[in-house]
Amino acid sequence: MTDPRAAARRVVVKVGSGVLAGRGEGLDGAVLRRLAGEIAAARAGGREVVLVSSGAILAGRERLRLPARPDTRLKQAAAAVGQSRLMRAWEAAFARRGRTVAQVLLTADDLRERARYLNARATLQTLLRLGVVPVVNENDTVAVDEIKFGDNDGLSALVAGLVDASLLVLLTDQDGLFTDDPRVNPDARLIARVRPGESPPRIGRAGPSGTGGMESKVRAAGRAAENGISAVIASGAKSGVLSALLAGSERGTRFEAVEKPLAKRRQWLAFASQPKGRIVVDAGAREALVARSKSLLATGVRSLTGAFAPGDVVSLVEGGVEFARGLSNFGAGDLERIRGLKSSQIEATLGHKPADEVVHRDNLAVLKR
Ligand code: GLU
């Protein structure tokens, strides 16, 4: 049987700082050269690779001789110093293989606006077409909590969706996801596969790894899988792991992709968009949306908050829980006047009727979390 990963044409590879540091304090050039070699080989084999690389703070901290746990401002300063060093190191590593790299810095905020999301997507696609290896990192200089991805694991899952990758590889300093922390429990076993809908056991105890820990890797891999992208958590500390994975052999922990993922537009709604308001609906409306894939009508709307305009993303809430996101056909002011009414009463109430539905089923993503 051929492994689907062997056929993966477009791949996102995320490398954590723990891997890039090797055994030292700053970036380990030998590790970068090894990974660049494996990525260049994949590229020569017809695969397109986007690299998501951490390591800016690591490199800056070493250069500035900062303490091991600097505060946020110092971290941002370190990232600004370290990012150019990181790129220089990748550039040198890839130049040996005749490959050009591109720096792509993103914040979560950049991908929340649909137009900017589409722009980022187009630029990445163009770079890949030109044979360039995009090196993506979070734009730490401007990223504060509200506009942060939080960690590069989450960023890599979004980037994988952005470029329609068929595989996401999260390289870390552990062999994969274990049933328990392997450094403490000698009986801990590597989990080879996580199937769609299966929740991986006892993640919290699987041991720390990188900024977000194993938990953020599992979340990122799960999110990619839900979007139809198979994801692997594997060791980046060992040579040849990436090449082996791309050749189709089993390494680390694989999260199998769901067969029928959400359409692209819905993926953006569910995972990248920033709602401008909340619409509280009744239980009947929730049931119609979730179980019967219907549109949201004014009659099911109980209350709303936020100053959203027509076309904005809104959260749909029932029983205090956000269960879907969608694009509202009405602004908050108009919706306040027609909530609870039948569609046939909209025109008489507003003097115009932009749409029959408040949120059309095509512009709606039901959330699985
Ligand atoms: N953007 C950070 C850096 O380049 C790393 C964030 C992470 O490791 O998740 O140092």
Side-chain angles (χ1 to χ4, degrees):
M1 198 183 80
T2 18
D3 190 299
R5 280 168 300 163
R9 204 177 72 81
R10 200 167 265 185
V11 183
V12 172
V13 179
K14 186 262 171 180
V15 196
S17 302
V19 172
L20 296 177
R23 289 202 187 86
E25 289 287 301
L27 297 170
D28 183 337
V31 172
L32 273 78
R33 284 192 291 279
R34 168 169 62 76
L35 291 169
E38 292 187 41
I39 291 170
R43 185 75 225 206
R47 294 192 173 82
E48 295 178 327
V49 182
V50 176
L51 182 58
V52 175
S53 175
S54 304
I57 295 174
L58 172 83
R61 209 179 59 206
E62 187 203 29
R63 180 74 186 92
L64 297 169
R65 297 196 178 81
L66 297 178
R69 295 196 171 276
D71 65 21
T72 303
R73 290 292 173 232
L74 277 177
K75 265 194 208 160
Q76 289 180 297
V81 169
Q83 180 63 29
S84 65
R85 299 172 76 79
L86 178 66
M87 284 312 297
R88 200 173 64 201
W90 280 123
E91 196 158 331
F94 276 100
R96 293 158 55 101
R97 307 285 172 156
R99 284 284 158 200
T100 302
V101 294
Q103 170 179 271
V104 178
L105 296 178
L106 293 171
T107 64
D109 220 24
D110 292 331
L111 303 184
R112 282 176 185 161
E113 292 294 330
R114 182 89 183 142
R116 299 178 83 186
Y117 173 91
L118 293 173
N119 278 337
R121 181 179 161 94
T123 305
L124 285 165
Q125 312 262 24
T126 307
L127 287 167
L128 290 172
R129 208 170 51 241
L130 293 170
V132 171
V133 178
V135 182
V136 182
N137 196 358
E138 178 148 34
N139 192 354
D140 291 310
T141 309
V142 294
V144 288
D145 278 351
E146 320 80 84
I147 63 164
K148 233 172 141 38
F149 291 107
D151 54 67
N152 276 359
D153 301 320
L155 171 62
S156 68
L158 269 170
V159 168
L162 202 60
V163 300
D164 294 321
S166 41
L167 176 66
L168 167 66
V169 181
L170 297 150
L171 292 178
T172 179
D173 48 12
Q174 293 190 36
D175 287 332
L177 177 66
F178 285 81
T179 51
D180 201 352
D181 190 338
R183 296 162 311 168
V184 195
N185 181 352
D187 295 331
R189 280 176 302 104
L190 180 75
I191 300 168
R193 266 165 201 259
V194 179
R195 296 192 167 77
E198 217 173 63
S199 48
R202 303 165 74 180
I203 302 156
R205 302 196 52 195
S209 176
T211 305
M214 191 49 88
E215 203 170 331
S216 83
K217 281 161 195 63
V218 168
R219 209 180 313 121
R223 178 175 284 194
E226 211 177 294
N227 286 344
I229 301 162
S230 124
V232 180
I233 301 174
S235 169
K238 292 182 185 155
S239 124
V241 168
L242 187 58
S243 305
L245 271 172
L246 295 177
S249 51
E250 295 289 331
R251 293 288 191 282
T253 304
R254 175 151 80 104
F255 288 68
E256 288 176 13
V258 301
E259 266 171 38
K260 290 197 179 131
L262 292 175
K264 278 274 146 234
R265 184 181 174 78
R266 292 204 167 110
Q267 288 183 21
W268 172 78
L269 275 169
F271 300 116
S273 71
Q274 169 78 327
K276 296 262 163 62
R278 283 160 67 95
I279 298 181
V280 178
V281 308
D282 60 33
R286 179 185 197 280
E287 204 267 332
L289 266 55
V290 174
R292 289 183 282 127
S293 306
K294 297 285 187 193
S295 298
L296 175 66
L297 304 178
T299 174
V301 175
R302 287 204 158 157
S303 63
L304 47 123
T305 49
F308 52 90
D312 278 347
V313 178
V314 288
S315 276
L316 302 185
V317 177
E318 196 268 326
V321 179
E322 180 191 30
F323 68 92
R325 283 184 190 177
L327 302 177
S328 176
N329 285 326
F330 294 85
D334 278 355
L335 188 55
E336 186 56 50
R337 294 172 60 201
I338 62 162
R339 70 186 162 89
L341 299 185
K342 294 208 171 73
S343 300
S344 56
Q345 299 172 284
I346 294 178
E347 186 147 18
T349 310
L350 296 179
H352 64 112
K353 183 161 81 166
D356 281 325
E357 313 81 11
V358 174
V359 177
H360 192 273
R361 52 191 279 182
D362 291 346
N363 295 325
L364 186 98
V366 173
L367 308 176
K368 292 225 176 81
R369 347 175 183 124

